[in-house]
Amino acid sequence: MKQVDPYEDLDINAYGVLKPPLLLLIILLIETWQFWSLIVSVFSGQSWVNSENSGWMGVAVAVPALTVLYALWARVPKAGGTIRQIWSRGREMLSMSAAGNLAITIFAVIQDGNWRLDSDWTTILVAILHIWVAIRLWVSPIIQKVFSEFPS
């Protein structure tokens, strides 16, 4: 019986390493969504900064994921040691963002005083989404492989 290589059909970039899969890009988008919503708010003229629930904690929690996004963009052979270290610790940093976003979601539910499951399905789905991200970061072989490679 022929052995099947799970990485056989994956895209390799010009530097000979795996291109980031769509799953990784989706995870980065999920974990940085509050930063992107801030950018959209600023350019649309809304007073996001002065609102009572400004979401600064969400943007602060997105910093590790934004750092990984920067390392993804700077993933070239001439990159320095700092970028290489950030990339090699990318799963941990994305996990930190997922845990922080999950904590913010749980804190918002506790602070609101609505503990019932039928209170807000959106909040429950957001919590499940961040749990899913944390699990996928550690069980997906393609994510493990991508973070183990860096162009030399």
Side-chain angles (χ1 to χ4, degrees):
M1 185 178 228
K2 180 183 172 190
Q3 284 286 13
V4 177
D5 184 9
Y7 308 110
E8 184 175 32
D9 296 327
L10 298 176
D11 290 329
I12 305 295
N13 67 12
Y15 304 117
V17 295
L18 290 172
K19 289 181 183 177
L22 181 61
L23 175 63
L24 178 58
L25 300 177
I26 290 170
I27 287 172
L28 283 166
L29 182 64
I30 290 168
E31 296 307 325
T32 59
W33 74 270
Q34 289 185 342
F35 172 77
W36 301 118
S37 68
L38 167 67
I39 298 298
V40 169
S41 297
V42 167
F43 285 112
S44 68
Q46 295 178 6
S47 60
W48 186 86
V49 174
N50 296 327
S51 66
E52 183 180 320
N53 187 9
S54 63
W56 285 110
M57 289 300 293
V59 174
V61 166
V63 168
L66 289 168
T67 307
V68 173
L69 183 64
Y70 175 73
L72 172 65
W73 177 72
R75 194 172 157 222
V76 295
K78 294 181 182 179
T82 304
I83 297 296
R84 291 175 187 274
Q85 278 190 318
I86 290 169
W87 187 253
S88 69
R89 299 283 185 233
R91 291 189 306 155
E92 291 92 343
M93 294 176 78
L94 287 171
S95 296
M96 286 172 38
S97 286
N101 280 319
L102 181 61
I104 288 171
T105 304
I106 291 171
F107 180 73
V109 170
I110 291 171
Q111 188 178 24
D112 187 31
N114 258 337
W115 291 60
R116 296 183 313 269
L117 283 178
D118 61 347
S119 64
D120 188 4
W121 282 102
T122 307
T123 305
I124 295 168
L125 290 176
V126 167
I128 291 171
L129 184 64
H130 291 299
I131 292 168
W132 175 83
V133 164
I135 291 170
R136 292 303 297 173
L137 284 169
W138 294 98
V139 300
S140 172
I142 185 65
I143 297 290
Q144 293 174 8
K145 182 76 171 165
V146 166
F147 280 112
S148 71
E149 295 183 346
F150 200 91
S152 56

